[in-house]
Amino acid sequence: MSKGMVRWSTNGLLAACACLFGFCAAIAPAQETPGSAPSPVAVATSPPGPVDDFERGTPRSTMRAFLATCSGSEYERGQHYLDLRRIPPAARSVRGPEFARQLCIIIERTVWIDPELLSDSPEGDREDGLPPRRENVALLKPGEKPVRLLLERIHREDGALIWKIAADTVARVPELYQEFGYGPLEHYLPESFLETRVAGVPAWQWISLVALSVIAWTLSIGVTNVLVRFGRLLITRSWVPLSEESVAGLRRPLHWLIAAQLFGEGIEWLSLSVRTTQIAESLIRAGSWILVAWCFLRAIDGMALMLQERATNRQVVAALLPLGRRAAKSLAVILTSLAALQNLGFHVTSLVAGLGIGGLAVALAGQRTLEHLFGGITLVADQPVRVGEFCRFGDKVGTVIDIGLRSTWLRTPDRTLLSIPNGQFASMQIENFSRRDRMRFSTTLNLHHDATIEQLHQVLNHLRKTLTSHPKVFPDSGRVSLVGFGTRSFDIEISAYVRTTSLGEFNAIREELLLEFLQVIHEHGTRLAFA
């Protein structure tokens, strides 16, 4: 493996470990520690029922307390929530904690129980279709012969009624553990790996997750290299004018996407808890959509580059490409974000429906934004000015740097950046200097009034020859005319069109013509009049 691949693997491992620790910290069950003092709110809202050290007065409190013992691996305490009447009294001290441990593992790997959905009444739910002293919690084994997790209200030693996990459910625990337990792992792994939990997840699963992330990252490197090479080979033999750089640009997002998919497939082999698996799969699906958006953005850039190379002679298409690329990227980000939110459990359908209902209000509130958006579309479609062109707008001049979705950026002669909203810029009178085919030369010479008529005729004729004979001046456009009499001068107006569109070249030609005109005036023994 190359140094670059080792560096990517190390970075990927660190990122995967950070995401995993953050993920498990987020999904840690927020339950009270058994034996801890209840909060004032819990005391104020506790339902009526018998006083019980194990909180077995209602179905909800019983399951909440039992799941707390599972989270803390307190199986000695957990046996007090099981109805062990079918087990011989002499064996209850040994089999009771074992049954509690096995039932915790069965629940963890088969069903996600939310105690808040259970009845908080000491009598239980009387409308569930079960006998009055029975409460249905969950279905542990679906199929033709389902096994239900049932609670039953029984008499405590002192005669008080409490809720425990039903005896017939407890009797099925060994059978269910054979199917849903750890299996061979229990014989090969140390007990500390199975019982030690970090953020509610057993230690062996943490180790498995880290190992799985390393394997997925390493395998994704090889798969990505194969796909990139295949893509380059396909492009070289295809009529599609894509560049190899556009395919290489997909390497990094494709690498992350493949690693996420491999990691998601491997999670199914780890036998995580149902709750952990569901949250992990949701996060992986949401992350995959984000990575898909990354791939789309890179693909859009590649397609835009290809179209730009092919549209060198199509100015309209070339001008529409930047705006179209941004619009396509925005659409890709919005759609993939909605998909990611949907996988995280948000009700995207309700969100979209709400946007539809409030669409009128949004349109009214955002009419200025829409005005600027359509102004940008108008600028790109009508093309009064393009990126890189010098223009006059209002009382200002500048070079267009960028035409965005909301505003147009221009560089002024003072080298400052000026931003103008598209709606305002599109409604201005725009004078485009970059598209002129020639530049107009115009000046007025004030010849001193002491010149004679003959001198005036000679100067006018010589000026016409000088102007029309210049190689950069259109001969038919040259005009030299006596236009008026000043207080102390004869006013001669000179105009012509110069064969250039460059301001620097025009200034040099104008300077050359003015010096020649001054030489003509001196040769004929006259001079300019100065106030």
Side-chain angles (χ1 to χ4, degrees):
M1 184 182 297
S2 65
K3 294 182 178 178
M5 294 171 64
V6 172
R7 184 174 64 254
W8 276 107
S9 299
T10 304
N11 295 338
L13 176 58
L14 293 176
C17 291
C19 293
L20 287 172
F21 278 101
F23 155 67
C24 287
I27 66 172
Q31 299 178 350
E32 295 182 1
T33 303
S36 61
S39 63
V41 176
V43 173
T45 59
S46 61
V51 177
D52 186 72
D53 293 338
F54 299 100
E55 303 177 16
R56 297 171 296 184
T58 66
R60 180 185 298 178
S61 63
T62 298
M63 282 309 302
R64 183 192 295 126
F66 177 71
L67 293 177
T69 63
C70 293
S71 178
S73 300
E74 299 179 78
Y75 305 124
E76 288 288 341
R77 181 181 176 87
Q79 67 177 328
H80 295 284
Y81 299 91
L82 308 181
D83 186 355
L84 303 176
R85 289 179 295 176
R86 296 187 183 183
I87 299 177
R92 290 177 186 175
S93 61
V94 177
R95 300 182 65 182
E98 181 62 20
F99 275 30
R101 185 185 73 87
Q102 292 180 357
L103 182 57
C104 288
I105 295 173
I106 293 169
I107 292 175
E108 181 183 78
R109 297 168 72 117
T110 57
V111 67
W112 185 349
I113 298 177
D114 185 1
E116 301 305 318
L117 300 179
L118 301 178
S119 174
D120 201 26
S121 171
E123 289 78 17
D125 187 1
R126 294 297 183 87
E127 299 179 358
D128 58 359
L130 295 175
R133 292 192 174 187
R134 288 256 173 161
E135 188 81 9
N136 183 34
V137 178
L139 190 64
L140 296 179
K141 181 181 179 182
E144 297 181 358
K145 297 181 179 180
V147 177
R148 296 184 180 276
L149 175 59
L150 298 172
L151 293 178
E152 187 172 4
R153 199 179 189 200
I154 63 176
H155 289 281
R156 200 170 55 187
E157 290 80 0
D158 59 357
L161 290 172
I162 59 173
W163 288 90
K164 284 188 175 184
I165 297 174
D168 48 354
T169 300
V170 175
R172 301 291 299 274
V173 168
E175 172 191 342
L176 293 172
Y177 189 73
Q178 290 293 326
E179 182 175 354
F180 300 110
Y182 289 139
L185 288 175
E186 204 163 10
H187 303 289
Y188 296 107
L189 292 179
E191 184 179 356
S192 59
F193 278 38
L194 298 174
E195 299 301 331
T196 303
R197 292 174 178 266
V198 179
V201 179
W204 73 270
Q205 292 185 2
W206 277 109
I207 298 173
S208 300
L209 287 172
V210 173
L212 177 61
S213 64
V214 174
I215 293 173
W217 186 263
T218 304
L219 290 178
S220 64
I221 293 176
V223 176
T224 303
N225 290 335
V226 171
L227 291 178
V228 170
R229 290 180 182 177
F230 178 75
R232 287 177 172 175
L233 180 63
L234 189 63
I235 285 176
T236 56
R237 299 185 179 183
S238 173
W239 59 271
V240 180
L242 288 173
S243 62
E244 294 186 6
E245 289 75 12
S246 60
V247 177
L250 294 172
R251 179 187 295 273
R252 185 175 297 179
L254 193 61
H255 180 199
W256 281 92
L257 182 60
I258 294 174
Q261 296 302 311
L262 292 175
F263 187 82
E265 293 294 330
I267 281 183
E268 298 181 2
W269 297 87
L270 296 183
S271 299
L272 302 175
S273 66
V274 174
R275 182 178 182 181
T276 304
T277 301
Q278 290 179 355
I279 296 181
E281 290 178 350
S282 298
L283 291 175
I284 291 173
R285 287 195 298 267
S288 297
W289 277 110
I290 295 175
L291 294 174
V292 167
W294 191 4
C295 291
F296 278 155
L297 296 181
R298 289 294 181 88
I300 290 171
D301 287 335
M303 293 296 296
L305 181 61
M306 178 198 72
L307 293 175
Q308 186 175 3
E309 293 175 352
R310 299 183 65 183
T312 53
N313 297 326
R314 300 179 182 179
Q315 296 179 350
V316 176
V317 176
L320 284 172
L321 276 177
L323 188 61
R325 179 174 60 183
R326 293 175 183 174
K329 285 186 173 182
S330 300
L331 181 61
V333 170
I334 291 173
L335 293 179
T336 52
S337 298
L338 291 176
L341 291 175
Q342 181 72 30
N343 282 280
L344 288 176
F346 294 91
H347 297 287
V348 176
T349 305
S350 302
L351 175 62
V352 174
L355 291 177
I357 295 174
L360 180 60
V362 172
L364 292 175
Q367 57 182 345
R368 299 292 296 177
T369 302
L370 292 176
E371 176 187 353
H372 300 325
L373 174 62
F374 286 111
I377 295 175
T378 301
L379 289 172
V380 173
D382 194 37
Q383 291 189 315
V385 65
R386 292 194 292 263
V387 174
E389 294 183 340
F390 185 73
C391 64
R392 186 197 308 276
F393 49 98
D395 58 347
K396 300 181 182 296
V397 294
T399 302
V400 178
I401 300 300
D402 182 47
I403 301 177
L405 293 176
R406 181 193 173 277
S407 58
T408 299
W409 290 84
L410 300 102
R411 178 80 68 181
T412 66
D414 294 329
R415 304 304 297 166
T416 61
L417 279 177
L418 180 62
S419 174
I420 303 178
N422 288 333
Q424 178 181 348
F425 188 66
S427 62
M428 285 183 174
Q429 182 177 358
I430 302 174
E431 184 179 0
N432 194 327
F433 295 112
S434 298
R435 296 189 192 176
R436 53 190 174 189
D437 57 350
R438 62 191 71 179
M439 298 183 71
R440 185 172 180 268
F441 168 77
S442 177
T443 187
T444 300
L445 300 180
N446 303 116
L447 198 64
H448 200 278
H449 62 79
D450 62 0
T452 63
I453 299 298
E454 182 179 358
Q455 287 177 321
L456 186 58
H457 275 293
Q458 292 176 350
V459 168
L460 290 172
N461 291 332
H462 202 166
L463 288 176
R464 291 189 185 100
K465 292 180 181 179
T466 302
L467 181 65
T468 56
S469 62
H470 195 283
K472 287 291 185 177
V473 173
F474 286 92
D476 297 339
S477 66
R479 297 289 184 271
V480 178
S481 305
L482 179 64
V483 296
F485 304 102
T487 304
R488 300 176 57 188
S489 65
F490 300 109
D491 298 334
I492 302 174
E493 186 178 88
I494 303 175
S495 65
Y497 286 106
V498 181
R499 302 176 188 269
T500 184
T501 59
S502 171
L503 181 61
E505 184 180 6
F506 173 77
N507 289 333
I509 295 172
R510 180 175 58 184
E511 178 182 316
E512 183 180 349
L513 288 173
L514 291 176
L515 290 175
E516 290 182 3
F517 294 160
L518 188 60
Q519 181 68 28
V520 170
I521 292 173
H522 288 169
E523 286 178 358
H524 290 83
T526 185
R527 56 194 174 95
L528 295 175
F530 298 98

